[in-house]
Amino acid sequence: MNAPLRVAVVGAGPAGIYASDILTKNDPDVTVDIFDRLPTPYGLIRYGVAPDHPRIKAIIVALHRVMENPRITFTGNVHIGVDIRVEDLREYYDAIIFSTGAERDRPLEIPGIDLQRSYGGADFVAFYDSHPDRPQTWDLTDATSVAVLGVGNVALDVARVLARTGDEMLYTDIPDHVHEILKNSVVTDVHMFARRGPAQAQFTPVELRELDHSPNVQVVVHPEGMEFDEGSAQALSQSKSLRMVVDVLSGWAVRDVDPNPAIRRIHIHFLENPVEVLGTPETGVTGLRTERQELTGNTGIKGTGEFTDWPVQAVYRCVGYKSEPIQDLPFDQGRHVLPNEAGRVLDTEGNHIPGIYATGWVKRGPVGLIGHTKSDASETVANLLADADGLVRAPQRDRAAARAFLLEKGLHITDFDGWDRLEDHERALGVAHAVDRERVKLHNREEMTKVASALQ
Ligand SMILES: Cc1cc2nc3c(=O)[nH]c(=O)nc-3n(C[C@H](O)[C@H](O)[C@H](O)COP(=O)(O)OP(=O)(O)OC[C@H]3O[C@@H](n4cnc5c(N)ncnc54)[C@H](O)[C@@H]3O)c2cc1C
């Protein structure tokens, strides 16, 4: 009989944690060790979901329960492919599930995109969510009108955070330096641009409505983009959620702009395709050129040759996230995922690399909500368990040996008890704050590691 399975999960975002949960529920003997390159678990729930979405962040409570299972461990500050290699893990684990997510901006290849004040939305998100390895500061004092390219939920988050006042965000977990920067923002107008029409928008109704919940922000939909073709009508007849989105947008399209100078505005422009960021290396961004699009009847679009220059001084592109390659593993450079068939990672010939699996955004690309990573994990785990008898057992089978290896490498690893200590610390900072708050996030990796460290 084979020894009980030992599985490593690389990436402690929701996909990795759900996969660990499903594994332990379906195999009474398996043990799972989860690794993350950050000192903390929860991936984009902590570093992607907007601070003013506490309801979503509450999913962490359920994931915490999963991690309390003694058959599951968490080890932070281990960057697989950088600190240690995939082959090192194979010494201790019979199978490895990669759930490394996606956290960088996809490129947008239009002239001027590299000018100063042309930003990746993912960088701004990482800033306001206080990711320890990403920008720790942001200049919001140099642009009153800004463009947000894209009309998905991430674009909504970015537009909303840019438009809200710093004080409106103070009830969230943002640290003081982020609050200070949002508070001093001079942004008055946020223009969102979509290439396609309202019936092709990627928003979800709840997130869209939320855009208008602030008394300091007015949302204006520019009516000339509110066009529908036969394809749109068909899409609308098939989706209640889309009908809700279009109803909300239609309501906003007949509003007058509020003349109150204290109100910030979010403008939504459909059927305007960004074709060039205007400016020079000396001036940075001075505008955005878009080409008017028309619907072709089947939800497709084509350019009309009519161009508009919008006087904005900063551009945030929210055109999607992308995963990063992992050393020693194949990578699909076109789709930015680990090449896989239902979670089994494939080599360049299309054969399954024994013992290597993928789940979450690195498996199927950066689309879908946290809940989707659960069904995704079910498929990957089912295939892993189906392969289990044929998996070659790793030579070293002891958790303590794997831990000793990491310590020998000089890594300042953190564990799940350490996460609890960090949480307590952040909550205490919240209570001690001048405005009583649920928590205040730490953002410096050394400090986080120190607080989380068992030696503390
Ligand atoms: C801006 C933004 C807002 C969002 N808002 C919502 C929302 O409101 N509601 C909702 O349901 N969904 C939201 N989502 C979607 C949700 O975040 C994703 O569906 C989910 O996080 C994907 O999970 P994952 O585990 O695949 O990846 P991730 O959450 O990205 O987790 C991957 C983990 O792997 C780690 N990692 C990466 N590489 C390595 C490596 N080489 N070694 C070790 N560790 C590594 C990372 O540090 C990270 O912790 C949002 C996404 C974004 C980008």
Side-chain angles (χ1 to χ4, degrees):
M1 214 177 89
N2 272 326
L5 272 182
R6 298 264 301 125
V7 178
V9 170
V10 179
I17 300 177
Y18 284 134
S20 309
D21 189 33
I22 297 167
L23 258 174
T24 52
K25 282 183 173 143
N26 286 281
D27 178 338
D29 301 316
V30 68
T31 46
V32 184
D33 295 341
I34 310 180
F35 299 92
D36 204 288
R37 65 187 193 80
L38 292 170
T40 50
Y42 308 134
L44 283 172
I45 304 184
R46 187 169 157 98
Y47 292 119
V49 171
D52 56 349
H53 277 174
R55 191 176 51 80
I56 305 294
K57 298 216 179 237
I59 295 175
I60 284 179
V61 174
L63 297 180
H64 189 281
R65 228 171 281 133
V66 171
M67 307 271 274
E68 284 167 356
N69 182 338
R71 287 196 285 138
I72 300 175
T73 66
F74 166 74
T75 307
N77 280 339
V78 186
H79 196 164
I80 310 301
V82 175
D83 296 328
I84 65 167
R85 304 185 71 143
V86 175
E87 287 313 309
D88 296 325
L89 280 182
R90 279 192 179 276
E91 189 68 17
Y92 302 92
Y93 299 96
D94 313 324
I96 309 170
I97 301 178
F98 286 87
S99 46
T100 44
E103 56 182 53
R104 294 287 172 171
D105 285 288
R106 260 179 192 253
L108 176 68
E109 313 232 328
I110 58 172
I113 199 71
D114 294 326
L115 288 172
Q116 262 193 49
R117 298 190 306 282
S118 168
Y119 304 112
D123 282 335
F124 184 55
V125 168
F127 157 71
Y128 66 61
D129 260 341
S130 318
H131 191 297
D133 300 341
R134 304 287 289 281
Q136 299 292 315
T137 185
W138 205 271
D139 196 346
L140 290 177
T141 61
D142 54 7
T144 52
S145 285
V146 305
V148 172
L149 315 188
V151 283
N153 283 343
V154 174
L156 286 181
D157 282 351
V158 166
R160 197 181 63 252
V161 173
L162 282 167
R164 284 197 162 173
T165 63
D167 284 349
E168 276 180 280
M169 300 292 283
L170 195 53
Y171 77 97
T172 72
D173 60 10
I174 54 170
D176 288 343
H177 74 284
V178 175
H179 171 241
E180 217 36 48
I181 285 169
L182 295 178
K183 195 170 147 188
N184 293 323
S185 164
V186 298
V187 171
T188 58
D189 291 85
V190 179
H191 292 267
M192 300 181 75
F193 291 96
R195 287 166 57 227
R196 312 211 310 151
Q200 289 81 45
Q202 312 268 301
F203 307 131
T204 41
V206 177
E207 279 69 24
L208 179 63
R209 276 197 211 100
E210 214 187 354
L211 213 51
D212 202 37
H213 282 176
S214 159
N216 304 310
V217 178
Q218 188 192 24
V219 187
V220 184
V221 174
H222 288 240
E224 54 277 17
M226 289 298 285
E227 286 188 5
F228 302 89
D229 59 0
E230 262 173 50
S232 308
Q234 202 179 357
L236 284 165
S237 70
Q238 288 165 356
S239 164
K240 188 175 171 202
S241 153
L242 187 58
R243 286 198 295 281
M244 288 159 80
V245 163
V246 167
D247 280 352
V248 173
L249 291 168
S250 304
W252 289 343
V254 293
R255 278 176 169 181
D256 293 327
V257 175
D258 191 327
N260 180 351
I263 297 279
R264 291 174 174 176
R265 286 158 298 272
I266 298 177
H267 309 257
I268 307 182
H269 307 270
F270 288 103
L271 294 168
E272 293 289 350
N273 184 25
V275 291
E276 183 174 354
V277 179
L278 304 173
T280 65
E282 290 72 39
T283 61
V285 175
T286 55
L288 178 77
R289 179 165 298 160
T290 61
E291 184 185 9
R292 178 101 190 122
Q293 306 293 297
E294 63 186 19
L295 292 163
T296 55
N298 55 357
T299 72
I301 44 166
K302 69 171 196 236
T304 62
E306 189 188 318
F307 294 90
T308 308
D309 291 350
W310 306 86
V312 296
Q313 303 90 47
V315 168
Y316 291 75
R317 64 175 191 283
C318 302
V319 293
Y321 274 55
K322 70 180 175 88
S323 302
E324 306 274 284
I326 297 155
Q327 198 192 22
D328 299 331
L329 291 184
F331 195 69
D332 181 334
Q333 295 289 355
R335 295 183 55 231
H336 299 286
V337 294
L338 286 175
N340 72 91
E341 199 171 74
R344 293 184 173 105
V345 175
L346 307 176
D347 64 17
T348 46
E349 324 272 71
N351 300 314
H352 179 210
I353 307 173
I356 305 287
Y357 299 83
T359 195
W361 275 16
V362 77
K363 169 187 175 187
R364 68 183 149 82
V367 281
L369 298 174
I370 295 160
H372 296 120
T373 60
K374 201 170 190 172
S375 41
D376 210 36
S378 294
E379 180 187 60
T380 297
V381 168
N383 284 331
L384 189 160
L385 291 176
D387 298 344
D389 285 346
L391 290 173
V392 176
R393 294 311 194 247
Q396 304 218 43
R397 315 202 54 76
D398 185 3
R399 257 186 185 157
R403 186 180 159 82
F405 168 74
L406 298 174
L407 290 172
E408 265 167 37
K409 284 261 168 195
L411 300 178
H412 299 288
I413 56 176
T414 56
D415 60 16
F416 200 54
D417 288 342
W419 162 252
D420 281 341
R421 274 189 288 279
L422 183 58
E423 275 225 287
D424 289 348
H425 183 83
E426 290 187 343
R427 290 218 170 93
L429 290 179
V431 172
H433 202 271
V435 179
D436 194 4
R437 300 160 67 189
E438 201 186 318
R439 74 194 294 155
V440 176
K441 259 184 183 174
L442 291 190
H443 56 97
N444 174 285
R445 185 187 276 266
E446 280 72 39
E447 192 183 357
M448 291 161 80
T449 304
K450 193 167 158 229
V451 173
S453 161
L455 302 174
Q456 169 90 359

